[in-house]
Amino acid sequence: MAKPPQSVEALTEQYGPHLKYVPPGGWQGESLKGPEKLVKTHCCFCGQQCGIQLKVRDNQVTGFEPWEEFPFNRGMLCPKGVRRYMQSAHPDRLLAPLIRTDSGFREAGWEEAMSLTARRLQEIQAKYGKDSVAVYGGASLITEKSYLLGKFARVALGTRHIDYNGRLCMVSAGTAYKLALGVDRNPNPWEDIPKAQVVLVAGANVGECFPITTDYLWRMRDNGGRLIVADPRMTPITRNADLYLPVRPGTDTALFSAMLHVIVRDGLADLEFIENHTNGFDQVAEYVKAWDPRRAADVTGVRPEDIEKAAQWFGMAERAMALHARGIEHHSHGVENCLALVNLCLATGNIGREGAGPNMITGQGNGQGGREHGQKCDQLPGQRHIADPAAREHVAKVWGITPEEIPQAGYSAVEIMEAIHRGEIKALFSMCFNPLVSLPDSEYTRAALEKLEFFCVVDFFLSETAHHADVVLAGSLQEEEEGVVGSGEGRVIKINKAVDPPGQARGDSAIVVDLARRLGKGQYFPFESTREIFDELREASRGGHADYYGITYERIEKEMGIFWPCPTLDHPGTPRFFEGGKFLHPDGRARFLVAEVRPSGDPVADDFPTFLTTGRVVSQYLSGAQTRRIGALVDQYPNPKVEVHPKLAERHGILNDDWVTVTTRRSSITVQAMVVRTIRPDTVFIPYHWPGRKSANRLTHRTLDPRSKIPEFKVSACRIEKAAGPQGGQ
Ligand SMILES: Nc1nc2c(c(=O)[nH]1)N[C@H]1C(S)=C(S)[C@@H](COP(=O)(O)OP(=O)(O)OC[C@H]3O[C@@H](n4cnc5c(=O)[nH]c(N)nc54)[C@H](O)[C@@H]3O)O[C@H]1N2
Ligand SMILES: Nc1nc2c(c(=O)[nH]1)N[C@H]1C(S)=C(S)[C@@H](COP(=O)(O)OP(=O)(O)OC[C@H]3O[C@@H](n4cnc5c(=O)[nH]c(N)nc54)[C@H](O)[C@@H]3O)O[C@H]1N2
Ligand code: SF4
Ligand SMILES: [Mo]
């Protein structure tokens, strides 16, 4: 179907200044008359998954109450959590399916939209083969939906290609942990943090992105522990840090290698632990010999004496933890960065004990659960590998098909875009992903979306990506279907249904099941509820690393969540991994792997001399599709700004609030300056929550980590110059 061109201007116009809405019943639902009830559930935003009680009246979420008993956050919430209820009854909510016409979208009935979708997918597969259709999932979806999508792609469509937005998120850490420790999960429950004597926070803006974790860090410090922060920016927690390492973007492997160098040199390594529980130490020790703190200081910009101090604190502590997030993971060597940090913990015996271990801080709401049960391109449920014959056999049996019928591994998220450009993939079914804003090099993404012969999006808002769809199916908010999510800790918790989808909107899982039936595969999709999907997932995960068999909805509610693996109904769950030095590789040992220091994919040069790094601010969430619609959050940070150090600003004659054009090898955007002393003078930072002309991802590049396939969002080469005013008027 011909698509009317979507200009950057049109999208900026539509999604630029955000409105201050008042929903039909008023924000507090003042005019609603029905009885009020409270529903215990979790925040729909980040991976902390705070417990919250939603206030419900007349099938509308009208507010919230804290849920003091939920152990993780004990009633605390951040600015996003306290506003999430404002999505319910939002005027932008999609209430019926939309079909593209030559003059824009028109509303359609479900019968028409679904039969069109099924027909187009079938026609395209008949013409170009099964693998010409790809599926995108998302880690904001409850685990049942992510399991269902994996099965839908492989059984209903029979395509190899399914991947999800978590590919832009925790995959470098997941890949590294799997390689080194044998499993993709955090070793420690969060209650371990206050027990650590030293915590190294590397590339995580805990204050703005994981606000509730700051409470755990402060308790650690109240107990006498020390906080070390490695970040090119002095993020809010740095004010209370004992040591700050202002690392140059893209150089963490050198920093951690030098720390290990000092630890080995000074005899701080735990040789007994290394001998009894690990392999490969000698090669790593040999590699880091060349990385003395002076050499690392040249590369990282961190003073050698600070590297020495960090290493000594970490090496001498009885209990040390490393917490890391996307700052060290969003790199073309993100896996190396994480391996280098894991090596530090293994070398000092800091793992498998209270208050000791490396831990990735999971980002997305269901970042953990969403990466365990098959919506990744190379994965089957239970965190099994799709190429493993035993895994294929087990899952095929649960699905009622033969192992040969399960397709092999397909492309990852960015690779799917590349395959669309090559003409290999012709149709895309996308649920819970806004790639036009979130993928690097957004002009490339836009061109790919325009090339598709058929594109179907399931969302509750008309995201920027959905503007390019042929069919938009009105799906559900988190509070509109019951299910489970896995929090960053590895705790499986229960999302309770608070309201029905409004208008003609439907539950996401009902949409997928309906589509599978229309594709002639109804016998494999007999589900009438998410509970039935969960029960099948339990069987499918049985015996895998992420074994959910012993977890039931009832147990979760009674026990305030259960940590996987939980293989039997009377198993207590597994909050802490690797106790007693038992790792999940077949020989039970952890692996030291050499983490080579490698350059970034978009090197600085004379014409692009400054590092650009991108990330988040506290009041916005991801692509902003949700938070840019919540007036009270928009007010806190209405437009992206570029953080510039006073020295760099002075060199370019830039004052606070001046307009600045930031240019990379791809494109340029013009935003206002925020002149701050809290960033390295060779680096600028732009948050990425906006589309169109305000999109940081117009600037970023598509270099991927070869193993995790994560894009390098954290380092681009750029130049900045003062601009006369906003580009084309903003
Ligand atoms: N408010 C808010 N909270 C969120 C989200 C959100 O969108 N908004 N998203 C959630 C999700 S999905 C995620 S993944 C997490 C992300 O959470 P974080 O990873 O904490 O957030 P980012 O802002 O992406 O980047 C973290 C830090 O990395 C630093 N950094 C940049 N380059 C480097 C580098 O080369 N080395 C080091 N050591 N640090 C570097 C940045 O300065 C930044 O302070 O947040 C979750 N929580
Ligand atoms: N430059 C730069 N780019 C980045 C990053 C960065 O640091 N810098 N960070 C990356 C990271 S860590 C992440 S996680 C990605 C996130 O990137 P995205 O996943 O694209 O971001 P979201 O905003 O979560 O988009 C999800 C879409 O799904 C919809 N949605 C949410 N929940 C549901 C649901 O339950 N059902 C349905 N049907 N739809 C739903 C939302 O309305 C939204 O339109 O961005 C990445 N992009
Ligand atoms: S910290 Fe995360 S889960 Fe908790 S309220 Fe904020 S956004 Fe929601
Ligand atoms: Mo993320």
Side-chain angles (χ1 to χ4, degrees):
M1 200 176 293
K3 297 183 179 184
Q6 293 280 337
S7 66
V8 177
E9 287 70 23
L11 285 174
T12 305
E13 179 80 356
Q14 177 145 12
Y15 289 102
H18 269 275
L19 313 174
K20 295 195 181 111
Y21 308 99
V22 180
W27 279 128
Q28 302 299 331
E30 292 98 350
S31 65
L32 302 175
K33 296 280 179 268
E36 189 175 275
K37 64 173 178 175
L38 285 174
V39 178
K40 289 191 171 66
T41 186
H42 294 270
C43 177
C44 61
F45 294 128
C46 89
Q48 310 273 285
Q49 286 301 293
C50 297
I52 188 171
Q53 302 193 77
L54 296 180
K55 266 193 204 170
V56 178
R57 203 171 245 189
D58 292 350
N59 199 44
Q60 188 179 314
V61 181
T62 58
F64 73 97
E65 288 285 342
W67 178 11
E68 311 273 357
E69 296 78 29
F70 188 71
F72 177 79
N73 60 310
R74 295 170 297 142
M76 290 180 283
L77 294 162
C78 86
K80 293 178 299 305
V82 302
R83 309 278 188 215
R84 62 82 68 100
Y85 73 92
M86 294 181 170
Q87 296 179 101
S88 189
H90 194 287
D92 281 4
R93 183 66 197 267
L94 295 175
L95 298 173
L98 302 175
I99 292 181
R100 174 179 293 285
T101 69
D102 287 341
S103 55
F105 288 114
R106 69 170 166 83
E107 280 198 2
W110 279 100
E111 182 52 41
E112 185 189 5
M114 293 298 283
S115 58
L116 172 65
T117 303
R119 179 169 61 77
R120 292 295 291 133
L121 294 175
Q122 278 172 325
E123 283 170 0
I124 288 170
Q125 286 194 309
K127 190 163 168 198
Y128 303 106
K130 296 266 185 215
D131 293 338
S132 61
V133 173
V135 176
Y136 267 163
S140 295
L141 297 172
I142 52 173
T143 309
E144 289 80 350
K145 296 181 194 172
S146 64
Y147 167 81
L148 182 66
L149 274 180
K151 182 174 180 184
F152 172 77
R154 288 159 186 136
V155 178
L157 288 169
T159 177
R160 291 196 291 138
H161 303 305
I162 169 162
D163 209 44
Y164 79 128
N165 60 9
R167 184 67 56 187
L168 314 179
C169 195
M170 290 89 32
V171 286
S172 293
T175 305
Y177 282 37
K178 222 164 175 163
L179 287 167
L181 312 173
V183 65
D184 171 8
R185 209 203 87 180
N186 273 333
N188 299 84
W190 254 219
E191 66 182 36
D192 276 6
I193 296 175
K195 297 172 186 155
Q197 293 167 330
V198 170
V199 175
L200 165 61
V201 172
N205 181 358
V206 174
E208 294 198 73
C209 298
F210 312 104
I212 306 306
T213 295
T214 52
D215 179 64
Y216 288 79
L217 289 176
W218 300 158
R219 282 193 270 148
M220 180 273 300
R221 288 197 77 244
D222 289 347
N223 294 338
R226 282 166 161 162
L227 175 64
I228 308 173
V229 174
D231 197 302
R233 301 188 305 140
M234 300 175 90
T235 62
I237 55 161
T238 315
R239 279 185 228 130
N240 292 320
D242 299 280
L243 180 60
Y244 169 55
L245 310 173
V247 62
R248 186 172 281 136
T251 65
D252 297 85
T253 314
L255 175 66
F256 305 145
S257 295
M259 284 176 68
L260 189 54
H261 172 102
V262 174
I263 284 168
V264 176
R265 183 197 70 196
D266 292 357
L268 298 173
D270 184 342
L271 298 178
E272 201 182 313
F273 180 86
I274 293 169
E275 172 69 28
N276 291 336
H277 302 294
T278 70
N279 292 326
F281 176 68
D282 292 345
Q283 289 90 313
V284 169
E286 185 56 35
Y287 182 78
V288 301
K289 248 189 203 157
W291 282 98
D292 61 84
R294 291 215 155 271
R295 179 177 176 205
D298 286 343
V299 173
T300 62
V302 181
R303 296 188 311 175
E305 56 271 33
D306 289 340
I307 300 179
E308 297 263 354
K309 196 189 271 181
Q312 275 152 8
W313 287 1
F314 202 88
M316 280 152 77
E318 227 169 81
R319 296 180 304 282
M321 282 179 95
L323 298 181
H324 56 102
R326 309 307 83 79
I328 70 162
E329 300 163 26
H330 278 159
H331 295 276
S332 57
H333 48 267
V335 175
E336 275 92 345
N337 283 346
C338 298
L339 285 173
L341 203 52
V342 171
N343 285 344
L344 267 181
C345 292
L346 289 174
T348 51
N350 275 307
I351 193 158
R353 292 186 285 119
E354 272 192 351
N359 285 270
M360 60 186 115
I361 321 182
T362 294
Q364 296 159 292
N366 193 19
Q368 182 66 58
R371 69 177 193 263
E372 294 162 359
H373 299 291
Q375 66 173 337
K376 290 176 79 169
C377 61
D378 57 356
Q379 186 195 58
L380 290 175
Q383 221 183 84
R384 291 176 158 98
H385 199 276
I386 201 162
D388 171 8
R392 297 172 69 83
E393 191 155 329
H394 172 83
V395 174
K397 206 162 155 209
V398 175
W399 286 353
I401 59 175
T402 64
E404 296 69 42
E405 287 174 280
I406 299 180
Q408 292 293 343
Y411 294 137
S412 64
V414 176
E415 291 172 317
I416 285 176
M417 286 295 162
E418 291 166 356
I420 296 169
H421 270 280
R422 288 196 302 274
E424 231 179 279
I425 288 175
K426 304 282 190 188
L428 183 60
F429 178 86
S430 175
M431 176 182 273
C432 193
F433 198 160
N434 192 6
L436 189 55
V437 183
S438 314
L439 286 183
D441 194 359
S442 37
E443 282 310 312
Y444 182 85
T445 308
R446 176 191 307 280
L449 297 178
E450 287 302 317
K451 238 183 135 178
L452 285 167
E453 289 190 17
F454 181 73
F455 182 25
C456 175
V457 166
V458 187
D459 208 313
F460 40 74
F461 291 137
L462 193 64
S463 70
E464 293 73 16
T465 300
H467 272 256
H468 296 259
D470 299 290
V471 175
V472 182
L473 301 174
S476 50
L477 282 170
Q478 190 215 41
E479 57 264 36
E480 293 166 0
E481 282 188 303
E482 84 170 332
V484 306
V485 296
S487 78
E489 293 185 289
R491 193 196 291 259
V492 181
I493 49 182
K494 180 83 196 300
I495 300 302
N496 281 317
K497 181 171 170 173
V499 289
D500 289 320
Q504 304 301 308
R506 290 173 82 183
D508 293 332
S509 60
I511 294 172
V512 177
V513 168
D514 184 353
L515 192 54
R517 290 176 184 166
R518 286 170 193 267
L519 292 168
K521 300 290 175 158
Q523 73 203 88
Y524 305 106
F525 294 84
F527 313 112
E528 296 298 330
S529 66
T530 42
R531 181 185 280 268
E532 289 175 17
I533 301 172
F534 185 67
D535 282 337
E536 188 182 286
L537 178 163
R538 290 171 54 216
E539 290 284 357
S541 73
R542 197 173 189 175
H545 279 161
D547 190 333
Y548 275 41
Y549 184 71
I551 303 178
T552 62
Y553 284 179
E554 287 69 27
R555 276 195 68 186
I556 296 175
E557 303 223 33
K558 214 164 85 209
E559 299 170 38
M560 293 278 187
I562 299 176
F563 292 80
W564 64 262
C566 180
T568 58
L569 287 166
D570 54 4
H571 188 285
T574 315
R576 192 175 300 106
F577 263 74
F578 318 127
E579 293 199 286
K582 289 193 198 73
F583 293 92
L584 270 70
H585 288 306
D587 63 359
R589 297 166 80 85
R591 293 180 188 156
F592 277 97
L593 292 159
V594 173
E596 211 184 314
V597 177
R598 289 199 287 115
S600 300
D602 191 36
V604 290
D606 287 349
D607 44 350
F608 297 102
T610 303
F611 295 98
L612 163 68
T613 193
T614 60
R616 304 159 157 73
V617 294
V618 66
S619 57
Q620 292 291 336
Y621 189 66
L622 302 182
S623 73
Q626 294 169 264
T627 46
R628 278 184 282 112
R629 290 187 156 83
I630 299 179
L633 291 174
V634 175
D635 291 347
Q636 286 188 34
Y637 205 112
N639 284 301
K641 290 192 166 192
V642 56
E643 289 183 15
V644 189
H645 190 277
K647 277 191 196 153
L648 184 62
E650 195 185 359
R651 214 177 310 145
H652 293 275
I654 293 166
L655 300 174
N656 200 37
D657 282 343
D658 276 353
W659 290 93
V660 176
T661 299
V662 182
T663 306
T664 65
R665 296 185 173 96
R666 272 74 47 205
S667 185
S668 61
I669 66 171
T670 301
V671 291
Q672 278 178 292
M674 189 190 277
V675 179
V676 288
R677 292 182 189 285
T678 48
I679 187 165
R680 288 179 56 92
D682 59 3
T683 303
V684 297
F685 169 86
I686 308 178
Y688 86 101
H689 313 284
W690 290 266
R693 282 221 186 102
K694 301 176 182 179
S695 173
N697 274 326
R698 295 186 74 184
L699 304 175
T700 52
H701 58 109
R702 285 180 284 114
T703 314
L704 303 182
D705 180 293
R707 286 182 281 191
S708 70
K709 312 282 182 182
I710 206 168
E712 193 153 50
F713 293 122
K714 290 296 184 267
V715 192
S716 301
C718 77
R719 63 167 172 265
I720 63 166
E721 57 213 314
K722 189 172 165 166
Q727 211 178 9
Q730 282 196 13

